[in-house]
Amino acid sequence: KVLNLDAKSSHATAIAVIFPLSLISTSIYVINGYIKSLPLVSVGLGVVLGGLLGAFALKFLPPKAVRIIFAIIMFIGGIKLII
């Protein structure tokens, strides 16, 4: 809202900010030995495939659908954090 971006641009911007931060966090955890290689590879593969699928779908989805999908994902993530 502050930058007057449409839904697609704002979600793409959020991903552009989150991705490098996630790489840095993962690197720190791997260096300190908190992450085993098999879960890292399986989760990493899911993230990459999901990101590619999401980027492809973003071209075709209307802005309202993007907002609804994003809200559902955030809601599920919040519930998982509570439980």
Side-chain angles (χ1 to χ4, degrees):
K1 298 254 181 210
V2 173
L3 298 176
N4 294 323
L5 296 173
D6 62 290
K8 288 183 180 183
S9 296
S10 63
H11 293 300
T13 303
I15 291 169
V17 170
I18 292 168
F19 180 69
L21 293 174
S22 297
L23 285 179
I24 292 168
S25 298
T26 302
S27 300
I28 291 170
Y29 280 111
V30 168
I31 289 169
N32 290 319
Y34 293 119
I35 298 178
K36 305 291 182 208
S37 59
L38 183 61
L40 177 62
V41 171
S42 62
V43 170
L45 184 61
V47 167
V48 169
L49 292 176
L52 291 172
L53 180 64
F56 179 74
L58 197 57
K59 293 180 186 179
F60 302 103
L61 292 173
K64 185 172 182 172
V66 173
R67 282 194 308 271
I68 291 170
I69 292 168
F70 187 73
I72 290 169
I73 291 170
M74 295 306 291
F75 181 76
I76 291 170
I79 296 297
K80 285 188 71 142
L81 285 174
I82 291 171
I83 296 175

